[in-house]
Amino acid sequence: MDITQKIQRFYDLASPYLLKLWGIHIHEGYYKTGKESKEKAQEQLISLLAEKAQIKRGESVLDIGCGMGGTSVWLAKKLKCRVVGITISPIQIKIARKFAKTNKVNVNFLLMNAESMKFKQLSDIVWVVGAITHFKDKQLFLQKASALLKPKGRIVIADWMPIENIDKKSQKEYIEKIMHGMLLPSTYPMSRYTNLLIKNNIHMTYAKDISKNVTQTWDIAIEIIKKPALWKLACSLGKDFIIFLKSFYAIKNAFQKKKLIYGIIIGEKI
């Protein structure tokens, strides 16, 4: 079973439980005051990214790695965007479609591998939040994603990134533990992503480390996974889910030791 199949299997098994554990948005939150609920902070992250990407009402969005549809539905509901969301998990598709129906918005959710995606129509926005770390060939993915943008279209990337020029010892001690637990084939520092985007005719409009507003997510996550019932459930789901939960500690530690950042990258198609 290759890494893509493992990721699909994991999310098919875990998504119903992640929905109960973490909610419809399975990405970090952006904390302005530190007093927000987890859900409000997650929506604040979406709002921040939409603002920095200058998403206009009614624009077309390709949400790559759409998860359970939280962001896709938010963009369709709040900004009247025409959204297509893709994921490799059939279970996530089922949850996302139900969520869109409940919110009375029309979002097209498709079962598709982002690394081999093909679309006839170009998009105003390519949205890649909490997904790019899962892709095996990031260079090829960014080439495909850039090609799917209209002229003046924007790509939005937000994800974990190791610090620039991380030493081998820190890479092994902090980053590789996360990669193993979260089923990530590789991680890139921010500069590598931006350089690849520039090579694909993308002009950088925004690049920032927002870790200080995001790391509270992992304080909350650690509290959630302290529940004994959750570990009993993890045992029933198998080794991968146990390793996944343990990696929460590795993520928090890497942020605390300043070996990992949460980076935003936004670029415009030339």
Side-chain angles (χ1 to χ4, degrees):
M1 188 182 294
D2 70 10
I3 187 70
T4 302
Q5 291 171 315
K6 285 184 177 181
I7 292 166
Q8 178 186 333
R9 179 180 175 275
F10 173 81
Y11 281 110
D12 278 347
L13 282 172
S15 289
Y17 303 101
L18 288 174
L19 182 61
K20 294 176 183 177
L21 176 72
W22 202 243
I24 199 70
H25 301 291
I26 49 174
H27 56 73
E28 278 83 350
Y30 183 81
Y31 291 86
K32 295 179 181 179
T33 67
K35 296 179 181 179
E36 299 95 328
S37 68
K38 172 173 60 65
E39 292 75 17
K40 183 176 181 181
Q42 288 169 320
E43 293 197 355
Q44 284 177 173
L45 178 64
I46 303 170
S47 182
L48 173 71
L49 295 172
E51 176 191 336
K52 297 301 181 183
Q54 298 181 13
I55 300 179
K56 302 175 186 66
R57 289 176 71 84
E59 285 195 306
S60 57
V61 179
L62 175 58
D63 183 4
I64 296 175
C66 65
M68 296 182 287
T71 294
S72 294
V73 169
W74 190 97
L75 291 168
K77 195 170 183 178
K78 299 286 186 181
L79 296 177
K80 309 302 179 188
C81 290
R82 293 169 286 118
V83 186
V84 174
I86 67 171
T87 173
I88 59 172
S89 167
I91 299 301
Q92 288 189 336
I93 290 284
K94 185 177 179 180
I95 294 169
R97 287 173 177 166
K98 183 178 179 181
F99 185 60
K101 186 177 181 180
T102 300
N103 281 272
K104 299 178 180 179
V105 293
N106 184 24
V107 178
N108 188 12
F109 290 108
L110 302 173
L111 187 66
M112 186 182 293
N113 185 341
E115 293 185 84
S116 56
M117 61 185 176
K118 291 181 181 179
F119 290 95
K120 291 181 180 179
Q121 292 185 323
L122 303 181
S123 296
D124 295 302
I125 305 293
V126 170
W127 183 282
V128 198
V129 175
I132 199 168
T133 46
H134 281 306
F135 304 148
K136 290 182 288 187
D137 191 336
K138 293 173 176 52
Q139 184 171 343
L140 179 60
F141 167 75
L142 290 172
Q143 182 181 330
K144 285 178 175 288
S146 302
L148 289 172
L149 281 171
K150 296 176 182 179
K152 301 291 184 181
R154 284 86 72 207
I155 186 168
V156 179
I157 296 172
D159 219 314
W160 307 320
M161 302 171 191
I163 58 169
E164 300 290 335
N165 302 313
I166 189 168
D167 61 273
K168 289 183 179 180
K169 182 181 177 182
S170 296
Q171 175 75 17
K172 186 174 182 179
E173 185 175 350
Y174 298 100
I175 307 304
E176 288 183 12
K177 287 180 182 178
I178 298 168
M179 291 168 61
H180 178 60
M182 292 286 172
L183 298 175
L184 311 178
S186 63
T187 57
Y188 287 2
M190 186 180 286
S191 62
R192 190 167 180 189
Y193 286 122
T194 57
N195 288 338
L196 287 171
L197 287 167
I198 290 166
K199 288 179 181 178
N200 284 286
N201 298 316
I202 303 294
H203 168 68
M204 293 299 102
T205 60
Y206 189 81
K208 188 174 181 181
D209 170 7
I210 61 164
S211 302
K212 68 177 183 179
N213 297 100
V214 166
T215 51
Q216 188 174 332
T217 298
W218 296 101
D219 296 330
I220 294 168
I222 296 299
E223 289 303 311
I224 290 173
I225 67 169
K226 284 180 179 179
K227 299 175 182 178
L230 183 60
W231 289 95
K232 186 177 180 180
L233 171 63
C235 291
S236 71
L237 289 175
K239 181 178 69 173
D240 285 347
F241 200 72
I242 294 170
I243 295 170
F244 170 76
L245 292 180
K246 286 182 176 179
S247 68
F248 285 20
Y249 293 97
I251 293 167
K252 181 178 177 180
N253 191 37
F255 274 124
Q256 284 182 330
K257 300 296 184 181
K258 300 190 183 303
K259 304 298 182 181
L260 185 74
I261 70 165
Y262 191 87
I264 293 175
I265 299 168
I266 297 172
E268 182 178 87
K269 183 75 171 282
I270 298 172

